[in-house]
């Protein structure tokens, strides 16, 4: 564990600096964008010399593209690879954790800043079971998504019953534990 320069032992900053594979992805994306920009500029100069933009039989940047290609390009340009991959995990949850666990535990959301997957279970027994399985699931998810994508699985038990309002409720009561006095 590294020490802070201020001398106190607080938790590390929320978003760690990108390293390793993440830096390589960022550098590759920047190089591709720069090469694409150079190619587009050269193409525009060439078209300007020929008498302006005009359509032709060959593909160019103005042609329509397939929806899947457009979405993949948008995900790459915006740097949404990790959230999109985690969204895919939520769709494949039964295959990852097994049918029995998937019947009782559902992933709710992913916090990209803290790299935490939040899972809600329908009973406290299943929540306890999933807490015991959490290290194994984190390893399996990181194997599938890339190292460090999920650092922690936060397991939540079932929510309380819906709060009812109606004529049989005492005004201002806070619920079944209220002593009315």
């Amino acid at each position: 564990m590294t020490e802070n320069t201020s001398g106190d032992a607080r938790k590390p900053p929320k978003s760690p600096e990108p390293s390793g594979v993440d830096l390589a992805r960022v550098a590759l994306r920047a190089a591709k964008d720069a090469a694409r920009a150079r190619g587009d500029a050269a193409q525009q100069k060439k078209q300007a010399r020929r008498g302006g933009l005009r359509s032709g039989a060959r593909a160019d940047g103005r042609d329509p593209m397939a929806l899947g290609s457009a979405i993949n390009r948008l995900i790459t340009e915006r740097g949404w690879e990790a959230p999109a991959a985690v969204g895919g995990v939520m769709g494949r949850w039964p295959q990852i954790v097994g049918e029995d666990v998937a019947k009782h535990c559902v992933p709710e959301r992913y916090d990209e800043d803290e790299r935490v997957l939040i899972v809600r279970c329908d009973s406290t027994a299943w929540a306890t079971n999933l807490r015991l399985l959490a290290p194994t699931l984190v390893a399996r998810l990181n194997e599938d998504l890339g190292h460090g994508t999920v650092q922690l699985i936060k397991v939540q038990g079932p929510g309380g019953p819906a709060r009812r309002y109606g004529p049989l409720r005492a005004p201002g009561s806070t619920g079944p534990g209220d002593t009315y006095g």
Side-chain angles (χ1 to χ4, degrees):
M1 184 181 248
T2 61
E3 291 184 25
N4 289 341
T5 56
S6 62
D8 57 352
R10 284 188 263 169
K11 60 182 179 181
K14 270 184 144 180
S15 57
E17 292 295 320
S19 63
V21 175
D22 293 332
L23 277 176
R25 282 188 185 132
V26 169
L28 178 63
R29 188 178 312 126
K32 283 183 177 179
D33 290 342
R36 188 177 296 120
R38 282 192 309 269
D40 289 345
Q43 182 70 21
Q44 287 175 356
K45 284 181 184 178
K46 186 177 176 182
Q47 286 178 345
R49 276 185 268 141
R50 284 192 305 190
L53 296 173
R54 44 181 214 257
S55 66
R58 294 193 180 97
D60 64 5
R62 300 173 295 145
D63 288 341
M65 58 184 354
L67 181 62
S69 300
I71 290 174
N72 288 337
R73 181 175 168 187
L74 180 67
I75 287 172
T76 303
E77 287 174 355
R78 301 288 170 109
W80 295 338
E81 289 96 354
V86 172
V89 163
M90 291 184 179
R92 295 180 292 123
W93 184 252
Q95 290 88 19
I96 294 171
V97 298
E99 293 293 328
D100 292 338
V101 175
K103 287 179 189 174
H104 301 282
C105 304
V106 192
E108 283 193 338
R109 64 184 182 275
Y110 174 69
D111 185 356
E112 186 178 4
D113 295 333
E114 296 182 11
R115 298 178 186 239
V116 174
L117 180 65
I118 298 165
V119 179
R120 177 156 319 266
C121 298
D122 62 0
S123 71
T124 54
W126 277 102
T128 303
N129 189 19
L130 194 66
R131 282 186 190 103
L132 294 173
L133 291 173
T136 307
L137 288 177
V138 167
R140 193 179 303 167
L141 288 169
N142 284 331
E143 184 179 298
D144 190 29
L145 300 173
H147 182 68
T149 304
V150 177
Q151 292 182 347
L152 178 70
I153 293 180
K154 204 177 270 189
V155 181
Q156 297 179 340
R163 188 133 185 204
R164 300 182 314 156
Y165 297 99
L168 300 178
R169 303 285 298 174
S173 72
T174 58
D178 194 356
T179 59
Y180 304 109

